[in-house]
Amino acid sequence: MNPLREKFPYFIRHEKLYRMIHLQLMKKWFQYFVLFFIIGSICSIIYGSFEESAPYHNHLYTFNYLASFIFTIEYGLRIAAAPVQYASCKHAWKARLRYIISFYGIIDCVAILPFVVIYLYKETPHVHLVVLAYVLIIFKLIRYSRSFQMIGTVLKTVREELITAYTACGIMLGFSGILMYYIERNAQPEAFENIGDGFWWAIVAFTTVGYGDIYPITPLGRLLSSIISLIGIAMIAIPTGIISSAFMNMLIEKNRKRTTNLLNNINISYLSKLFEWPKSYKKINPKDLR
């Protein structure tokens, strides 16, 4: 029996509708349709920051409103079809709640906030803060981009190794930031006013960025800064190596599966016919060679 019918007895009446919605959401035409409005909204936000766009502000706003309306429809459809997507949940409302609080659910909700808030409250001082959150719409591209999905899969695969590496980096940052504060606070109290300034220096030195706004002037502080910078080069290379190795392993595994599927799809009978001896071939009798 269908697992959805076993878990959701009342789901039977709307099963076809929910499945149809879910299938339509997975269709390429729908994904390209939504992708067009995502890219268009991002481009309109970027172009709207230029002075040359002043004569076209009304058109840009209209397009963003239309895009938000499309995102609202998409958000409602995904909520409706959530029981199909999260079939492991025992109740439909739990499946819908799981989607709403998921990463994609939050991003989809943020994408429609400007449309709803601006329509209700028009121009108020707090509306612009909501419009600022509209920039997060760029994360909607992750759902429709295989590259982002592959990166996310790689990060999930090596999350324990990355947590270990970044924990070690955090310990080094905390130790060096606190130590540098106590070394430099008497020499330059305006630069190292508190341990937070020490943390900022540690991050800049550890990542070898070197903004130059805070730097040590005492001999001991410069020695510590040199050591931290050298350690930072080695420590930053560890997460990079972990991610690169996992990414290469995934590509190799993907190519291996592709090759295996290709070989499995080859018709064995076709190969057997291809390597059959021709009918005109006459077996050689060893006696004829004497």
Side-chain angles (χ1 to χ4, degrees):
M1 183 182 292
N2 193 322
L4 289 174
R5 296 188 178 187
E6 294 178 358
K7 296 179 180 179
F8 309 142
Y10 60 89
F11 184 77
I12 299 176
R13 291 185 305 168
H14 307 290
E15 179 182 3
K16 292 183 178 180
L17 176 61
Y18 292 157
R19 286 190 176 277
M20 183 184 69
I21 294 174
H22 182 70
L23 291 175
Q24 293 300 321
L25 291 173
M26 300 302 294
K27 293 285 187 179
K28 286 188 175 181
W29 72 267
F30 185 84
Q31 294 181 357
Y32 289 144
F33 180 73
V34 177
L35 188 62
F36 167 77
F37 284 98
I38 294 173
I39 297 176
S41 298
I42 296 172
C43 293
S44 64
I45 293 173
I46 296 174
Y47 182 65
S49 63
F50 292 90
E51 296 180 359
E52 293 80 1
S53 65
Y56 308 102
H57 276 179
N58 292 333
H59 299 286
L60 296 176
Y61 288 151
T62 302
F63 180 83
N64 285 331
Y65 292 157
L66 178 60
S68 298
F69 179 71
I70 298 297
F71 299 151
T72 304
I73 296 176
E74 180 199 8
Y75 185 59
L77 292 176
R78 291 191 182 278
I79 291 177
V84 179
Q85 183 178 0
Y86 301 100
S88 59
C89 296
K90 295 182 180 180
H91 301 282
W93 68 268
K94 289 184 177 180
R96 294 189 172 97
L97 180 62
R98 182 177 175 182
Y99 163 72
I100 291 173
I101 64 176
S102 66
F103 173 78
Y104 290 122
I106 294 173
I107 296 300
D108 291 339
C109 181
V110 170
I112 68 174
L113 280 179
F115 170 74
V116 177
V117 175
I118 294 176
Y119 179 78
L120 294 177
Y121 296 99
K122 305 299 179 182
E123 288 293 333
T124 61
H126 303 289
V127 168
H128 299 288
L129 297 177
V130 181
V131 176
L132 183 62
Y134 197 56
V135 179
L136 296 177
I137 193 177
I138 195 170
F139 288 104
K140 285 178 69 71
L141 291 174
I142 298 177
R143 176 183 284 145
Y144 304 103
S145 175
R146 294 182 180 179
S147 301
F148 280 113
Q149 293 175 0
M150 184 177 295
I151 293 173
T153 305
V154 169
L155 294 179
K156 288 181 181 179
T157 304
V158 295
R159 60 181 179 274
E160 295 182 359
E161 293 83 353
L162 290 177
I163 290 174
T164 303
Y166 283 115
T167 301
C169 293
I171 293 172
M172 287 297 303
L173 288 173
F175 171 77
S176 59
I178 295 173
L179 184 60
M180 182 60 74
Y181 166 71
Y182 284 105
I183 292 174
E184 294 288 328
R185 64 173 182 173
N186 293 327
Q188 43 178 344
E190 70 284 351
F192 290 88
E193 295 181 359
N194 48 54
I195 295 179
D197 293 333
F199 284 151
W200 170 248
W201 165 85
I203 294 173
V204 172
F206 197 78
T207 56
T208 66
V209 175
Y211 288 122
D213 54 346
I214 299 178
Y215 55 90
I217 59 175
T218 61
L220 185 59
R222 290 179 177 178
L223 176 62
L224 177 62
S225 179
S226 301
I227 295 174
I228 293 301
S229 297
L230 293 175
I231 294 176
I233 296 174
M235 294 296 291
I236 293 298
I238 294 176
T240 305
I242 292 173
I243 296 174
S244 300
S245 177
F247 191 76
M248 291 302 300
N249 290 336
M250 176 170 288
L251 290 179
I252 293 172
E253 182 66 19
K254 184 178 180 180
N255 292 332
R256 187 188 66 81
K257 289 182 179 180
R258 183 183 300 172
T259 304
T260 303
N261 294 333
L262 182 62
L263 292 176
N264 291 335
N265 292 332
I266 294 178
N267 194 333
I268 304 300
S269 61
Y270 174 76
L271 288 177
S272 61
K273 291 181 181 180
L274 183 64
F275 291 101
E276 281 181 355
W277 292 109
K279 294 181 180 180
S280 60
Y281 174 78
K282 182 180 180 182
K283 294 183 178 180
I284 299 176
N285 192 345
K287 295 181 181 181
D288 298 336
L289 300 176
R290 296 177 181 175

